[in-house]
Structure formats: structure tokens, C-alpha cells
């Protein structure tokens, strides 16, 4: 199971923050709704077993950076539980192409030949979507179905950490979600905002934002090392 009472596979450091919300009536309704959708023949991405992948790969006690997405990619084979990321062998999506462009410009990092960001996740970059599932070819179809209670709790848990972290908020959706966390903007964390990296908006300020180097400078200044982007 990926919801309703089960955090199997999720690191223990997340349990105190997420245990109650995952076991809530709202999450049980979400789990039942997802089962019903699948039983009705609707194709849901990512597949069972990878919907909590962002939490599994990045324990709360190791989080250094948070990158918030809206919902998973809705094409076959794309979504694998990490925001903006796709498995190796899948064409790099346009938003990630722009992320790689900014990374190259900002830090001189040569873009890899794939779109798998697991190497970020394993270094403490929480790649979390707002909704953790989506129906095939139906962007935003699982928004406001119950995932937000879980992902809001995860963001709030990071905000409550004593260790300084970086929040990279790209686009109004991510910014609104993070700003629901009381006091985040005035906290000891670094909160960086920019337009979404989508081709529709990247030229409005995402390209040239230098978020990757700013994040590493902040982490290093606070004794938290740097991310090997």
C-alpha cells in the first residue's frame, strides 16, 4: 500500500511527522478512492510501490534542500515518485531541460544524458510533489483528493528542523504551498523563489536565478556541506 496507514519503506525519521496524518480518515479515503479509480480501469501514475519514493530516498534527518513540484508526470513511464525527475531511458521533459540549462549556466555542470534525479535525492534533496499520483493524460487530476495533508505535513516537518535547509520554490503553486507553513518566510531557512522552469515561464526569471549556487553557498556557510548537482 502507498497510503492509508502504511509508511512501510519510509525511513523512521519521517514517522513522527507523518504517522498520524497517514493513518487519518482523510488518508484512508484517499486510499479507497485510488483503489476505486484503478478498479474502474483508470491508469494511475506512478505505479504502486513508488508513490512515496521521495520520502523513501530522503530521510527527514538528512534533508538539506526541498524542491516542490505540483503533481507527477502523466505520460507512460515518466513518473517514478520524484518531482521533475524521470527514469533513465525516458526523454528528458521540457521543464527539466530548463533546470539543466540553469544548472549549466550557474554552476558549469554538464547536463547528464538522462533525467533521473535520484542522485540529488540521496544527497538530501527532497523532490516532493504536492499530489503524489495523477491519472494518465490528466494533469492535476489528483489535486485536492487527500495527498496535500501528507505532503503539507512533510514540508512542515522540514521547516521545523533546527538545521538550516533551503527551499527552492519554482512557480506560484510551490510558493503558495510552502507559505502555508507558519513562519517559514521568517525562519532560519533559506527560501528562494522563481518562476516555474516550464518553457511557458522559464524566461521570466527562472533562467538566471542562480538557485543552485545560492543553495550551496548557504549550506556551506551553515556547516551542512554542498550538493553535488
Amino acid at each position: 500500500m502507498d497510503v492509508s496507514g502504511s509508511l512501510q519503506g519510509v525511513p523512521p525519521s519521517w514517522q513522527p511527522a507523518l504517522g498520524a496524518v497517514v493513518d487519518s480518515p482523510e488518508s484512508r479515503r484517499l486510499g479507497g478512492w485510488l483503489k476505486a479509480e484503478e478498479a474502474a480501469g483508470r491508469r494511475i501514475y506512478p505505479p504502486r510501490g513508488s508513490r512515496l519514493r521521495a520520502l523513501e530516498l530522503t530521510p527527514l534527518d538528512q534533508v538539506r534542500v526541498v524542491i516542490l513540484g505540483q503533481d507527477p508526470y502523466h505520460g507512460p513511464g515518466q513518473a517514478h515518485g520524484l518531482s521533475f525527475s524521470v527514469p533513465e531511458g525516458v526523454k528528458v521533459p521540457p521543464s527539466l531541460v530548463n533546470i539543466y540549462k540553469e544548472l549549466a549556466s550557474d554552476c558549469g555542470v554538464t547536463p547528464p544524458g538522462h533525467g533521473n534525479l535520484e542522485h540529488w535525492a540521496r544527497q538530501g534533496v527532497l523532490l516532493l510533489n504536492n499530489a503524489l499520483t495523477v491519472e494518465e493524460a490528466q494533469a492535476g487530476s489528483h489535486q485536492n483528493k487527500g495527498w496535500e495533508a501528507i505532503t503539507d505535513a512533510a514540508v512542515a516537518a522540514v521547516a521545523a528542523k533546527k538545521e538550516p535547509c533551503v527551499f527552492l520554490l519554482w512557480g506560484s503553486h510551490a510558493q503558495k504551498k510552502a507559505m502555508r507553513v507558519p513562519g517559514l518566510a521568517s525562519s532560519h531557512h533559506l527560501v528562494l523563489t522563481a518562476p516555474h522552469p516550464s518553457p511557458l515561464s522559464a524566461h521570466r526569471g527562472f533562467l538566471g536565478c542562480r538557485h543552485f549556487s545560492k543553495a550551496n553557498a548557504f549550506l556551506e556557510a551553515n556547516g551542512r556541506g554542498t550538493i553535488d548537482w
Side-chain angles (χ1 to χ4, degrees):
M1 294 173 63
D2 287 307
V3 220
S4 66
S6 176
L7 284 174
Q8 186 176 359
V10 174
S13 58
W14 284 113
Q15 307 283 342
L18 301 182
V21 68
V22 168
D23 200 32
S24 68
E26 184 176 18
S27 290
R28 286 194 288 272
R29 284 193 295 271
L30 170 63
W33 180 79
L34 287 170
K35 287 181 181 179
E37 290 290 286
E38 292 171 329
R42 294 181 178 86
R43 188 162 294 179
I44 308 299
Y45 299 133
R48 287 174 177 268
S50 58
R51 294 169 185 172
L52 301 179
R53 187 71 170 154
L55 303 174
E56 292 170 1
L57 288 183
T58 311
L60 175 59
D61 58 347
Q62 295 178 23
V63 174
R64 295 189 283 167
V65 178
V66 177
I67 298 178
L68 296 177
Q70 189 161 347
D71 57 357
Y73 295 119
H74 53 80
Q78 291 182 303
H80 67 143
L82 304 176
S83 62
F84 295 103
S85 179
V86 293
E88 293 188 33
V90 175
K91 183 180 179 181
V92 179
S95 291
L96 185 52
V97 169
N98 283 330
I99 290 171
Y100 282 165
K101 284 181 182 178
E102 175 57 24
L103 187 54
S105 172
D106 185 15
C107 300
V109 174
T110 301
H114 61 80
N116 191 332
L117 302 180
E118 285 190 6
H119 64 296
W120 291 6
R122 296 183 189 279
Q123 295 179 75
V125 180
L126 181 63
L127 297 165
L128 187 70
N129 281 312
N130 182 50
L132 301 186
T133 54
V134 70
E135 183 179 345
E136 183 177 39
Q138 301 291 328
S141 53
H142 290 190
Q143 299 287 340
N144 301 314
K145 298 296 185 182
W147 281 119
E148 288 81 2
I150 297 171
T151 55
D152 281 2
V155 174
V158 178
K161 283 167 62 77
K162 293 180 180 179
E163 304 89 350
C165 298
V166 182
F167 288 78
L168 302 183
L169 308 179
W170 301 333
S172 60
H173 193 276
Q175 291 159 22
K176 289 175 183 175
K177 182 178 184 66
M179 291 310 153
R180 288 202 297 267
V181 178
L184 178 59
S186 59
S187 70
H188 58 292
H189 303 301
L190 177 64
V191 179
L192 298 175
T193 63
H196 195 277
S198 160
L200 298 174
S201 55
H203 64 283
R204 298 177 191 156
F206 175 79
L207 296 174
C209 69
R210 302 197 64 201
H211 279 187
F212 300 102
S213 62
K214 290 176 181 177
N216 271 348
F218 177 83
L219 291 172
E220 190 168 30
N222 284 278
R224 304 213 64 200
T226 59
I227 304 297
D228 180 11
W229 302 108

